[in-house]
Amino acid sequence: MEGTVFTPALEVMKHIKSEDGVILTRPFLDACKLILPVIEKFGAAMALVKSDIGGNITRLENKYLTNPTKYNHLYSMVQEEVDAKTAKGSSSCTNGLLWLTRAMDFLVALFRNLLEHQDWAMSQACSDSYSKTLKQWHGWLASSSFTVAMKLAPDRKKFFDVVGGTGDVNSDIEKFCTTFPPFLEENHKFLASVGMDGLKAS
């Protein structure tokens, strides 16, 4: 593997914004998709997160593919649903983007924890980032399932050996944690502007 597991996602992130500073659908979804192999390395601990992220990417991608020109900008499909008053539906693209962004917030917090707290076990890094990000939006059931899954987190050293490849994994994680969050922040701002950033899971 050339570079680390993060390298392909970091490459795509360079193209997320158009020349006039708008987030583009395809590269944003591709970047999220390229994080999936990283999540896979967590095994059973992240099975829930992985299926959630994968499902939301597919939902947004399917919509995008119905008209790539119309939905070239990531927020165009959300705006359309807001205008049609269908944004709050559980199978809406708005809901998909919201939960995809939240799951990515969780991953950024997790990788930041791994960099900043070298002495923490993987399960502690997972639990801490979960409580900082996703937990406030989850109902009791999702929260319980998540807490159980976190206990299955792999050994920290094993994880780093697997994701490292031939590159500098700490440097790539650092790049991921600084490059990706501004896009997520922008998603939250946009979702908040249309009154959709505070939806909770049942």
Side-chain angles (χ1 to χ4, degrees):
M1 174 173 68
E2 271 305 300
T4 72
V5 176
F6 290 91
T7 310
L10 290 170
E11 273 308 302
V12 172
M13 280 178 207
K14 295 173 184 166
H15 309 290
I16 286 180
K17 282 209 165 172
S18 65
E19 282 177 9
D20 50 355
V22 179
I23 294 184
L24 301 172
T25 308
R26 177 95 263 172
F28 179 78
L29 293 179
D30 284 348
C32 293
K33 231 187 243 179
L34 288 165
I35 297 298
L36 289 175
V38 182
I39 303 169
E40 246 158 45
K41 309 297 181 202
F42 282 92
M46 289 287 176
L48 278 171
V49 179
K50 183 171 174 278
S51 72
D52 198 42
I53 289 174
N56 286 323
I57 291 172
T58 304
R59 183 189 303 184
L60 292 161
E61 196 166 45
N62 287 345
K63 180 75 167 177
Y64 166 76
L65 291 172
T66 61
N67 193 335
T69 313
K70 183 181 179 186
Y71 299 123
N72 186 33
H73 293 166
L74 184 60
Y75 304 152
S76 55
M77 47 185 108
V78 173
Q79 193 60 58
E80 183 178 77
E81 290 178 346
V82 169
D83 295 343
K85 308 227 179 325
T86 56
K88 284 191 171 144
S90 59
S91 59
S92 70
C93 289
T94 306
N95 212 317
L97 179 62
L98 176 64
W99 285 101
L100 177 59
T101 302
R102 285 173 176 173
M104 291 294 158
D105 287 337
F106 162 70
L107 292 174
V108 168
L110 170 56
F111 293 126
R112 207 168 258 149
N113 274 344
L114 291 175
L115 278 186
E116 291 172 4
H117 302 280
Q118 303 283 339
D119 55 326
W120 282 12
M122 184 64 91
S123 55
Q124 185 180 356
C126 288
S127 302
D128 178 80
S129 36
Y130 177 64
S131 60
K132 279 182 193 155
T133 55
L134 282 169
K135 191 175 185 182
Q136 61 181 317
W137 307 113
H138 274 169
W140 178 83
L141 191 65
S143 195
S144 317
S145 317
F146 222 96
T147 308
V148 171
M150 292 297 131
K151 294 186 167 58
L152 306 170
D155 173 73
R156 187 189 171 108
K157 183 180 179 318
K158 256 192 214 143
F159 173 77
F160 273 93
D161 288 346
V162 178
V163 296
T166 58
D168 178 347
V169 71
N170 281 348
S171 160
D172 271 7
I173 290 178
E174 178 70 52
K175 277 185 209 144
F176 172 74
C177 288
T178 48
T179 312
F180 206 38
F183 302 125
L184 303 177
E185 196 50 48
E186 205 163 313
N187 287 355
H188 283 302
K189 273 191 186 140
F190 175 73
L191 288 161
S193 76
V194 291
M196 291 292 158
D197 201 40
L199 297 182
K200 291 196 170 192
S202 48

